Amino acid sequence: MHDRSALAALRIDRFVRERLESSIHRAAEPLVLEHWNAPGEPVTFDEAAAGEYRPIAAGDRWGRPWGTTWFRVRGAVPEAWREESGDLPAGTRAEVVVDLGYTTGQPGFQCEAMVWDTAGHPVRGIAPLNNAVAEAVAADGSIDVYIEGASNPDVGSLFTFDPTPVGDPSTAGTDPIYTLRHVEVRLRDLEVAALLADTRALRGLAGQLDAGSPRRADILLALERMIDTVDPHDVAGTARAGRAVLAPLLASPAAASAHTLHAVGHAHIDSAWLWPVRETVRKVARTFSNVLSLMDEDPEFVFAASSAQQYKWMKEYYPDLFERIRQRVAEGRFVPVGSMWVESDTNMPGSEAMARQFVAGKGFFLREFDLDTPEVWLPDSFGYSGALPQIARAAGARWFLTQKTSWNETNRMPHHTFRWEGIDGTRLFTHFPPVDTYNSVISAAELAHAERNYADKGRGTVSLLPYGFGDGGGGPTREMTQAIARTASLEGSPRVAHSTPRTFFETAEAEYPDPEVWVGELYLEFHRGTYTSQLATKQGNRRSEHLLREAELWATAATVRTGAEYPAERIARAWETVLLQQFHDILPGSSIAWVFQDAERNYAAVARELEDIIATSLRALAGTGERTLQVNAAPHDRSGVPALGAAAAPGAARTAPQPDGDGWILDNGVVRVRVDARGLVTSAVDLASGRDAVAPGTPAGLLQLHRDTPTQWDAWDVDVHYRNTVTDLTDAVDVRADGDAIVVERRFGRSRIVQRISLDAGARVVSFGFDIDWQETQKLLKLAFPIDVHTDSATSEIQFGHIERATHTNTSWDAARFETVAHRWIRVAEPDFGVAVVNDSTYGHDVTRSARAAGGGTISTVRLSLIRSALFPDPTQDIGEHALQVGLVVGAGVVDAVTEGYRINLPVRTVEGAAHEIAPIVTVDDPGVVVEAVKLAEDGSGDVVVRLYEARGVRAAATITASFGAQGVVETDLLERETAPAAVRSVETGVDSASATLTLRPFQIVTLRFAR
């Protein structure tokens, strides 16, 4: 038999394109349109309804960039469409179909709209591939609705990464950017739509089957017979007969061994990205209203959405919509997932901030829906911290889902279902959907890929399929649910079933109770530039996290000691702002300029609020007198000031530089530092051991400038080829001793850096302060410390501990980890000598090994990525003035690194006019057991909550003592719910104090609740 399959496929595709798709609607009639342009930012429905509307017609331009145009749409279903009974023909439906002028870009990245009824209730959203609104047609056939059109510019959905001015409203322009195509009432033929869905399901399947497959031949033959059956000039009249031809093919069941995909409706909506946060609020409303509408159409459809923040927006701005959501949540069809405030980055948020993502997120879902969400849902974050399993389990989560690791450039993860073990040994059941997308459209190609790709065949038979338009929102469509109906059990295809995340995870865990284990972080071999992009935002995050620590500590102490009112609502608002801005396209620096302008304003407002709380609390604690106090919010004593307390101690003095030939010496009796005439550190000797931290012949504190032109994804990526071009910034405009510091000025390109090198009395930290006027583009500035230490690993601080990473490139996994993230410190060491580098705002690092210049062996070069300047999506990224601090800790153990990391981020405060010192509210007798947070309980009971962790990575025994009376001390989870003791061994309570004796595993997090 001759093979005509290629011609058959061409024939089928053309018939679908020219006949079926064009016959979905039997008739169309334009509606009467008027419009009103909202001035400035979006307005409420009442303001819009009161606007002065003017006529607009198809072909007219509308919508300035980031503007809002309201359309008034009126008309009726034509009487000519009705039968003698007055009803529409059987198997048809009237609907309003809107084309605002959609581009070829992706849904969610361009213009979209919300339909409102005349009473001011949101009806549903409109997007390029989901633009039919049956709800706009009243029961009597009349049409009278408003359409809130958002003329969002397409910043770059085709991802050519071209610089664009439209990400900033001040440079985006004011001319209309869209052309209205049509707003019509149309008569939808449901039988033709069903035939189209049948045909697409089978044609897609045929495209995935082997060329020699009998099933493929049967499908192509049946599709050609369908074409012969359907009259191309009367598709509506013959569609039912065409469906009958295909019915036997669709009824043939899947193989017994077929993989099963649990289809979960989804719309991964970025809380900001190529649009500002304010637009995300509207995107969420449009998407959620679409979902609710689809639930009315399809009783099997289930939708899962994460991010408590997005639900809170609905409650605040769309209360009617929120109540509809609440009803569907109670039914189990609208499923809150994820347990977190937002789908945050997990690399850069600090320890307590990562915990608070769960406290705030789970707390909201418990209060609003009485749901304790059991999963962590992070499909799109840029790598996953090794501390996350313990944090998630401590919040009560059981399961973890992501898809992002499928983006790895070099290595493929060996599992799709496994247990993920964190740095403390906690394990979390984890799944990567093998479909390799969180925006599936239920295509045959995606289903086939998921089945073929699933790495755990023979042990597991199920995977999760998140489907729906996402990133910019939109969610599932009726075409997608129709595809699920046809692939529920279809020969040649995996099974597809409507499901929920809980149902999937329970099924997967039951059939595969003892999966393989992956240990340590889930490093994403991609998007490494996100550790550095948008320095000001990263500094705002770091500073806010530490201000929140101080505000809670001192406000708690003031409440307990003086009876001052605890500012719970103010602190909660500040936390919510900070947590929102840890979203995985804000804190990583991968959004448009508008997003970062908002972020910096928000951080400034948070700082003002928290500084006021801190000042008020300290004044209540210190009273009014004539003493000057040094206030220490860090968990370690410093310069005579107790941890978490305040004392009348002198401030730290600095060592004055002494001339030494053509350079200077800084010597405080602990460390001896030499700075040469170029302003570079050539030696930093630990005087107790005689070890020089600086490798011979290689200056430390060396600024290095690299070309930074990633292959793709500009703000996201640092590619390894950046190392091919480097300029050492050794030339100085000026080097001089200035009081207690050596000041160095360097100029390059159009930029200027002023550097201050200093050494405090009694300290082992060489301090480097930088004032940077950065005017470069597509450049990366690194700060290098060649350390005279031979080691094959570096230790980096992450949340509640640290992680070891190889500094060699033995394997492809090691080589791919050429840029890594660390929090406040990174350390390299031999067994008897270590050196740490601490910072106040840097996250990106690299550590490499090279041959020692003299005497053999190797050295370890620690470099910090200080600043970079990508052109997309923000062409002005990081241009401007910045200040940051770095410290070289000579002879540093892990506790020294931890201590100095806190010190550089929590500078001692001075309180003038105090009456008395402030005793610590709690003390711990082991410096390796670190107090991370002191606060009042979330439930308003007045109980004091203390969170601490073991920081060295060893087993520890410690006693924590509270300087206030307590009725009892219990161990809790992160949500402050009592748990069985895991660390507490004994408790003593009294009128004036309470204590608990603890034993901790390496890196164990412990939350204690002191009942007052």
Side-chain angles (χ1 to χ4, degrees):
M1 182 175 178
H2 301 297
D3 182 7
R4 298 182 58 254
S5 59
L7 290 174
L10 287 172
R11 183 189 180 201
I12 295 161
D13 292 344
R14 183 171 182 180
F15 188 81
V16 168
R17 184 174 63 252
E18 293 185 356
R19 302 298 178 178
L20 295 187
E21 290 179 351
S22 62
S23 299
I24 287 288
H25 295 106
R26 294 187 182 182
E29 188 74 22
L31 296 166
V32 176
L33 300 178
E34 297 175 299
H35 76 295
W36 172 75
N37 292 315
E41 287 293 278
V43 300
T44 65
F45 173 82
D46 290 340
E47 292 175 89
E52 185 175 336
Y53 285 75
R54 302 191 312 275
I56 188 172
D60 289 349
R61 301 282 289 173
W62 72 277
R64 62 177 173 82
W66 304 113
T68 301
T69 299
W70 286 78
F71 301 89
R72 182 75 183 269
V73 182
R74 285 178 283 197
V77 174
E79 289 300 319
W81 295 1
R82 299 183 183 276
E83 297 180 332
E84 290 184 7
S85 63
D87 296 329
L88 294 174
T92 66
R93 182 178 70 191
E95 57 190 19
V96 173
V97 179
V98 180
D99 188 334
L100 296 171
Y102 304 124
T103 71
T104 57
Q106 302 176 50
F109 293 78
Q110 53 176 290
C111 61
E112 49 192 298
M114 173 71 90
V115 178
W116 298 76
D117 66 20
T118 54
H121 301 121
V123 176
R124 65 166 296 158
I126 293 174
L129 299 178
N130 194 4
N131 63 337
V133 188
E135 298 92 333
V137 181
D140 62 1
S142 63
I143 298 166
D144 189 358
V145 295
Y146 290 86
I147 297 177
E148 180 189 11
S151 49
N152 302 329
D154 188 338
V155 175
S157 70
L158 300 180
F159 299 108
T160 56
F161 311 107
D162 299 320
T164 173
V166 299
D168 183 338
S170 68
T171 58
T174 58
D175 293 337
I177 56 175
Y178 291 104
T179 300
L180 184 66
R181 288 201 181 94
H182 61 249
V183 180
E184 299 174 332
V185 58
R186 293 185 179 180
L187 188 63
R188 184 178 184 85
D189 191 304
L190 303 180
E191 197 69 39
V192 174
L195 175 60
L196 177 59
D198 294 346
T199 303
R200 283 175 171 163
L202 290 170
R203 173 64 183 93
L205 176 58
Q208 299 305 309
L209 296 172
D210 184 79
S213 163
R215 173 68 166 163
R216 179 174 182 270
D218 289 345
I219 290 172
L220 293 177
L221 181 60
L223 287 171
E224 287 207 278
R225 287 175 180 166
M226 178 274 293
I227 294 172
D228 294 337
T229 301
V230 174
D231 184 346
H233 302 293
D234 184 18
V235 174
T238 55
R240 184 180 298 274
R243 294 196 70 199
V245 173
L246 300 181
L249 278 297
L250 291 165
S252 184
S257 60
H259 188 74
T260 299
L261 292 161
H262 285 241
V264 178
H266 185 47
H268 167 72
I269 304 177
D270 288 306
S271 291
W273 183 24
L274 305 181
W275 48 85
V277 168
R278 69 89 157 141
E279 191 57 30
T280 307
V281 177
R282 300 201 295 179
K283 284 177 174 287
V284 174
R286 292 189 283 257
T287 299
F288 286 6
S289 63
N290 284 351
V291 165
L292 293 169
S293 177
L294 188 54
M295 286 180 181
D296 294 337
E297 290 185 30
D298 189 333
E300 294 187 33
F301 168 61
V302 177
F303 178 78
S306 70
S307 302
Q309 172 69 86
Q310 296 185 359
Y311 290 84
K312 185 177 181 183
W313 283 332
M314 296 305 96
K315 183 178 181 181
E316 182 176 357
Y317 297 108
Y318 297 86
D320 293 345
L321 187 60
F322 185 74
E323 289 308 312
R324 292 170 60 197
I325 292 169
R326 190 193 297 277
Q327 293 171 15
R328 291 298 192 183
V329 169
E331 295 172 7
R333 296 185 62 198
F334 199 118
V335 185
V337 294
S339 304
M340 298 171 70
W341 191 247
V342 294
E343 291 184 12
S344 78
D345 179 79
T346 76
N347 286 314
M348 291 173 285
S351 302
E352 187 62 17
M354 199 75 257
R356 294 301 178 90
Q357 285 285 349
F358 289 89
V359 173
K362 274 183 164 279
F364 182 89
F365 291 142
L366 282 164
R367 289 191 305 274
E368 297 297 334
F369 305 122
D370 195 27
L371 286 177
D372 191 353
T373 48
E375 70 289 295
V376 184
W377 186 275
L378 290 172
D380 190 34
S381 297
F382 308 146
Y384 303 94
S385 165
L388 195 56
Q390 183 183 191
I391 296 170
R393 291 299 296 269
R398 297 170 55 189
W399 308 306
F400 176 74
L401 177 136
T402 184
Q403 177 272 324
K404 199 66 175 183
T405 48
S406 69
W407 287 43
N408 274 3
E409 291 178 312
T410 305
N411 297 286
R412 183 177 182 268
M413 288 294 295
H415 314 294
H416 284 104
T417 301
F418 58 98
R419 290 202 187 277
W420 176 23
E421 182 179 308
I423 59 172
D424 75 312
T426 297
R427 293 181 176 181
L428 189 64
F429 191 87
T430 297
H431 181 68
F432 299 161
V435 70
D436 285 348
T437 179
Y438 48 81
N439 292 329
S440 170
V441 295
I442 317 295
S443 71
E446 290 170 337
L447 304 185
H449 174 75
E451 184 172 55
R452 287 193 299 264
N453 189 43
Y454 182 59
D456 300 284
K457 296 182 185 73
R459 298 183 178 184
T461 64
V462 297
S463 65
L464 192 137
L465 177 68
Y467 71 95
F469 292 119
D471 293 322
T477 66
R478 57 190 172 196
E479 289 79 12
M480 296 175 194
T481 59
Q482 288 167 356
I484 293 173
R486 285 155 178 81
T487 54
S489 181
L490 183 62
E491 182 187 353
S493 174
R495 292 184 182 87
V496 184
H498 288 287
S499 189
T500 66
R502 176 183 285 274
T503 299
F504 162 73
F505 275 110
E506 288 178 342
T507 302
E509 203 166 21
E511 76 163 8
Y512 195 10
D514 190 24
E516 300 284 349
V517 176
W518 178 271
V519 178
E521 67 183 334
L522 294 170
Y523 177 85
L524 181 64
E525 297 173 357
F526 208 36
H527 292 358
R528 304 167 183 88
T530 57
Y531 315 147
T532 304
S533 292
Q534 299 290 353
L535 173 58
T537 293
K538 288 174 168 58
Q539 290 182 315
N541 175 75
R542 182 77 70 86
R543 183 65 179 136
S544 295
E545 289 177 345
H546 290 84
L547 285 172
L548 279 159
R549 172 194 176 90
E550 292 189 84
E552 289 185 330
L553 169 66
W554 303 127
T556 298
T559 299
V560 170
R561 296 261 172 77
T562 73
E565 183 179 358
Y566 188 75
E569 291 186 7
R570 296 171 69 190
I571 290 173
R573 283 196 303 270
W575 266 119
E576 288 178 5
T577 298
V578 173
L579 297 178
L580 167 60
Q581 295 186 168
Q582 290 175 343
F583 176 72
H584 66 252
D585 278 307
I586 302 179
L587 181 53
S590 48
S591 292
I592 58 174
W594 191 347
V595 172
F596 301 110
Q597 293 163 7
D598 285 348
E600 289 172 35
R601 282 192 293 269
N602 290 339
Y603 285 131
V606 164
R608 288 192 297 271
E609 183 80 355
L610 296 178
E611 290 286 5
D612 181 67
I613 292 172
I614 293 165
T616 301
S617 301
L618 288 174
R619 181 54 60 195
L621 287 163
T624 302
E626 298 181 354
R627 306 179 74 179
T628 297
L629 299 183
Q630 302 298 315
V631 181
N632 176 21
H636 302 95
D637 298 351
R638 60 173 71 168
S639 303
V641 185
L644 315 179
R654 281 185 172 165
T655 301
Q658 302 298 319
D660 179 57
D662 60 352
W664 293 267
I665 295 292
L666 295 167
D667 189 335
N668 64 1
V670 177
V671 176
R672 188 171 193 270
V673 180
R674 188 178 192 282
V675 181
D676 69 11
R678 301 170 298 173
L680 298 171
V681 173
T682 57
S683 176
V685 177
D686 174 27
L687 295 176
S689 67
R691 286 284 300 264
D692 193 340
V694 180
T698 56
L702 173 66
L703 293 164
Q704 296 179 303
L705 192 67
H706 293 269
R707 188 170 73 191
D708 185 17
T709 52
T711 304
Q712 53 183 334
W713 298 102
D714 289 23
W716 294 256
D717 288 352
V718 166
D719 292 341
V720 71
H721 57 69
Y722 84 88
R723 292 179 175 173
N724 297 342
T725 53
V726 58
T727 301
D728 292 344
L729 302 180
T730 56
D731 293 339
V733 174
D734 185 28
V735 183
R736 67 184 188 279
D738 183 9
D740 56 9
I742 298 164
V743 179
V744 185
E745 181 180 349
R746 305 188 195 278
R747 294 179 183 268
F748 54 94
R750 294 173 297 162
S751 300
R752 174 177 176 266
I753 293 180
V754 176
Q755 177 180 350
R756 297 181 66 87
I757 305 171
S758 60
L759 181 66
D760 285 353
R764 57 178 62 253
V765 184
V766 186
S767 297
F768 298 80
F770 296 91
D771 291 313
I772 305 174
D773 181 6
W774 181 255
Q775 301 295 330
E776 306 306 303
T777 58
Q778 296 186 307
K779 296 290 192 296
L780 169 63
L781 184 65
K782 289 264 189 179
L783 176 64
F785 292 95
I787 308 300
D788 197 8
V789 161
H790 169 72
T791 180
D792 60 5
S793 67
T795 306
S796 301
E797 187 189 35
I798 60 173
Q799 298 93 348
F800 298 110
H802 56 260
I803 194 166
E804 298 283 342
R805 299 187 180 105
T807 58
H808 55 71
T809 55
N810 281 1
T811 71
S812 59
W813 297 88
D814 300 325
R817 202 177 281 111
F818 58 82
E819 181 83 359
T820 59
V821 67
H823 286 191
R824 291 167 294 210
W825 58 269
I826 194 165
R827 177 177 177 265
V828 290
E830 295 172 2
D832 61 346
F833 182 77
V835 178
V837 180
V838 297
N839 73 85
D840 74 344
S841 55
T842 300
Y843 295 94
H845 296 75
D846 72 287
V847 186
T848 54
R849 306 164 82 244
S850 58
R852 197 165 179 267
T858 65
I859 66 171
S860 303
T861 299
V862 177
R863 297 200 304 167
L864 296 82
S865 299
L866 299 185
I867 195 168
R868 61 189 299 255
S869 47
L871 295 178
F872 180 86
D874 175 10
T876 63
Q877 177 185 310
D878 283 323
I879 300 299
E881 296 184 353
H882 308 270
L884 53 87
Q885 298 285 326
V886 175
L888 179 69
V889 190
V890 179
V894 171
V895 171
D896 297 313
V898 172
T899 300
E900 297 304 333
Y902 275 101
R903 183 194 299 267
I904 198 171
N905 285 275
L906 278 168
V908 168
R909 291 177 178 269
T910 300
V911 174
E912 304 283 355
H916 46 78
E917 296 184 344
I918 303 171
I921 189 171
V922 295
T923 58
V924 180
D925 64 359
D926 183 341
V929 177
V930 176
V931 173
E932 178 63 14
V934 178
K935 60 187 286 294
L936 288 194
E938 295 287 314
D939 61 9
S941 63
D943 291 352
V944 175
V945 172
V946 179
R947 191 151 21 251
L948 48 80
Y949 68 101
E950 196 292 310
R952 286 173 295 195
V954 300
R955 294 186 181 273
T959 298
I960 179 170
T961 303
S963 60
F964 57 89
Q967 295 177 346
V969 183
V970 298
E971 204 166 329
T972 75
D973 65 5
L974 292 185
L975 275 69
E976 300 163 13
R977 302 172 295 197
E978 184 174 356
T979 62
V984 174
R985 293 294 171 261
S986 64
V987 171
E988 294 185 8
T989 60
V991 176
D992 298 320
S993 67
S995 66
T997 301
L998 313 173
T999 59
L1000 295 93
R1001 303 186 319 273
F1003 302 128
Q1004 184 177 354
I1005 305 167
V1006 179
T1007 303
L1008 301 174
R1009 183 169 182 145
F1010 292 77
R1012 288 168 57 213

